[in-house]
């Protein structure tokens, strides 16, 4: 049961369910970002230092999700948690490759793409489709 102030003429029950499931994916994004990105603040530090550290971590999360999306992301049907962990494992190698540049970066990036492609796809369920499957009519379960 959902409670909303959106009139039924704008969103029907099925649409409200889809919107909520997409909203939940956003909540899961922040949960992953906080747990994998180490979004914790030491109150003993100066405010400017905390702000710079938080912006750096946010940038890291954006780059991590950019890599996940280039690897197919959620629409490829793989678990975002598993894809994010693969990118995270390559974090140090990507940072070193950026420092050296050129062919090293391309080699590491191609290796990361191969690893992302190996992440198993989630199985679709006709009873309860995955969130991304509810977004397009062609993938919506009957």
């Amino acid at each position: 049961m959902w409670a909303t102030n959106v009139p039924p003429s704008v969103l029907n029950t099925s649409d409200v369910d889809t919107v909520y499931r997409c909203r939940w994916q956003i909540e899961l994004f922040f949960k992953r970002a906080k747990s994998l990105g180490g979004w914790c603040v030491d109150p003993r530090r100066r405010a400017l230092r905390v702000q710079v550290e938080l912006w750096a971590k946010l940038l890291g999360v954006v780059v991590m999700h950019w890599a996940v999306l280039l690897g197919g992301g959620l629409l490829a049907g793989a678990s975002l948690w598993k894809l994010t962990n693969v990118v995270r494992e390559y974090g140090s190698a990507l940072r070193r490759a950026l420092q050296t540049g050129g062919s090293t970066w391309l080699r590491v990036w191609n290796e990361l793409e191969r690893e992302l492609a190996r992440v198993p796809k989630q199985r679709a369920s006709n009873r309860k489709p995955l969130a991304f499957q509810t977004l397009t009519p062609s993938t919506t379960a009957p």
Side-chain angles (χ1 to χ4, degrees):
M1 178 182 288
W2 306 118
T4 180
N5 60 355
V6 178
S9 61
V10 175
L11 289 176
N12 63 35
T13 307
S14 176
D15 293 339
V16 170
D17 184 57
T18 299
V19 167
Y20 178 79
R21 291 182 76 173
C22 292
R23 182 187 176 281
W24 184 245
Q25 294 302 312
I26 294 168
E27 296 289 335
L28 291 176
F29 164 80
F30 281 103
K31 180 180 176 183
R32 276 190 306 275
K34 286 171 30 180
S35 65
L36 296 175
W39 285 9
C40 59
V41 175
D42 185 352
R44 297 171 294 180
R45 293 188 176 162
R46 292 192 341 241
L48 184 59
R49 161 95 187 218
V50 169
Q51 188 177 12
V52 168
E53 189 174 317
L54 186 61
W55 280 109
K57 288 178 179 182
L58 182 60
L59 180 60
V61 168
V62 168
V63 169
M64 181 169 31
H65 281 275
W66 170 68
V68 166
L69 290 174
L70 288 178
L74 183 63
L75 296 178
S79 162
L80 281 181
W81 186 262
K82 291 177 182 177
L83 291 169
T84 302
N85 281 329
V86 170
V87 173
R88 188 170 175 231
E89 290 171 7
Y90 274 81
S92 296
L94 287 169
R95 188 181 67 242
R96 284 191 305 272
L98 274 174
Q99 291 170 342
T100 59
S103 62
T104 305
W105 163 254
L106 192 56
R107 182 185 52 78
V108 172
W109 184 257
N110 288 334
E111 191 177 313
L112 172 60
E113 281 185 310
R114 283 191 297 275
E115 285 299 315
L116 288 170
R118 289 186 197 159
V119 173
K121 307 300 181 223
Q122 294 176 325
R123 291 189 351 211
S125 168
N126 286 335
R127 282 193 357 207
K128 184 168 174 124
L130 301 171
F132 80 92
Q133 292 173 317
T134 63
L135 296 175
T136 56
S138 62
T139 59
T140 303

